[in-house]
């Protein structure tokens, strides 16, 4: 046997052990997209359940003559929760379309969640004592939530500013 033929025999691989990197990447991409679609369907189901609970709770509250302020607060809380689910669906849509996760939608979700919590705890102020540890904790939580919303807003500003600078360059 010639030397060149021996070298080729040493390098040859059986066909069944050979794999394609492109094929493996596309298979992993398909699995990833499938998982995103499943998560999207679950988010839609969660949104539908929240919407159903909101409507049923509102109707039940009207029948039972629940205080309008409590009813309105529950309604607002659920609507903000629906906004969070909608924003998650939008983010998921962007991930599927672009193939990468964007930070900005998550910051908006954080702002909505913080505002939702502010609405809930400010409604509870009537049930708090006018002084003491409970009031201090309440005010601390409000202050931290306000700082969180400001921090999220600043982060969104810098992300948008950086994207505008990239487009300009």
């Amino acid at each position: 046997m010639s030397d060149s033929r021996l070298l080729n025999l040493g390098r040859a691989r059986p066909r069944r052990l050979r794999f394609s990197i492109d094929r493996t990447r596309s298979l992993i991409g398909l699995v990833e997209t499938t998982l995103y679609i499943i998560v999207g369907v679950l988010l839609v189901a969660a949104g539908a359940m929240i919407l159903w609970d909101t409507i049923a709770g509102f109707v039940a509250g009207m029948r039972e003559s629940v205080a309008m302020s409590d009813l309105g607060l529950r309604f607002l809380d659920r609507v903000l929760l629906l906004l969070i689910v909608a924003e998650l669906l939008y983010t998921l849509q962007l991930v599927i379309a672009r193939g990468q996760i964007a930070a900005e939608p998550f910051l908006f979700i954080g702002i909505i969640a913080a505002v939702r919590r502010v609405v809930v705890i400010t409604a509870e102020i009537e049930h708090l004592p006018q002084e003491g540890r409970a009031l201090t904790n309440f005010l601390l939580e409000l202050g931290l939530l306000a700082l969180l919303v400001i921090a999220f807003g600043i982060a969104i500003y810098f992300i948008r500013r950086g994207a505008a600078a990239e487009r300009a360059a």
Side-chain angles (χ1 to χ4, degrees), residues 39-52 81-82 85:
V39 169
V41 168
L42 292 174
L43 280 172
V44 168
M49 286 187 277
I50 293 168
L51 184 61
W52 176 257
L81 189 57
L82 278 171
V85 171

Side-chain angles (χ1 to χ4, degrees), residues 30-46 89 92 96:
L30 179 66
V31 170
E32 179 184 19
T33 303
T34 303
L35 288 175
Y36 284 139
I37 290 170
I38 290 169
V39 169
V41 168
L42 292 174
L43 280 172
V44 168
L89 278 168
L92 198 59
I96 291 171

Side-chain angles (χ1 to χ4, degrees), residues 5-166:
R5 207 164 162 205
L6 283 173
L7 288 173
N8 285 338
L9 283 176
R11 290 186 205 155
R13 284 183 167 168
R15 273 202 189 279
R16 59 194 157 117
L17 292 179
R18 205 178 298 170
F19 68 94
S20 168
I21 292 175
D22 291 334
R23 185 173 169 206
T24 304
R25 283 184 184 155
S26 67
L27 184 62
I28 290 172
L30 179 66
V31 170
E32 179 184 19
T33 303
T34 303
L35 288 175
Y36 284 139
I37 290 170
I38 290 169
V39 169
V41 168
L42 292 174
L43 280 172
V44 168
M49 286 187 277
I50 293 168
L51 184 61
W52 176 257
D53 180 61
T54 302
I55 294 169
F58 188 77
V59 170
M62 293 295 279
R63 280 191 203 140
E64 297 169 7
S65 299
V66 173
M68 289 304 268
S69 60
D70 291 340
L71 198 56
L73 177 66
R74 179 175 164 78
F75 190 78
L76 181 61
D77 180 55
R78 296 298 182 204
V79 168
L80 289 172
L81 189 57
L82 278 171
L83 275 175
I84 291 171
V85 171
E87 196 65 34
L88 284 170
L89 278 168
Y90 174 73
T91 304
L92 198 59
Q93 178 186 357
L94 287 179
V95 168
I96 291 171
R98 294 183 185 167
Q100 58 186 357
I101 296 177
E104 191 173 338
F106 287 106
L107 295 171
F108 281 117
I109 291 168
I111 289 173
I112 295 168
V115 167
R116 179 175 173 253
R117 181 67 187 146
V118 166
V119 168
V120 169
I121 64 173
T122 52
E124 295 172 353
I125 196 165
E126 295 173 0
H127 308 294
L128 288 176
Q130 295 300 316
E131 55 188 48
R133 184 94 171 138
L135 184 64
T136 304
N137 290 343
F138 168 78
L139 293 174
L140 253 170
E141 186 175 2
L142 265 181
L144 289 173
L145 286 168
L147 286 175
L148 194 60
V149 169
I150 291 169
F152 285 152
I154 291 170
I156 290 170
Y157 169 77
F158 281 124
I159 287 173
R160 288 186 175 177
R161 185 173 158 195
E166 271 185 30

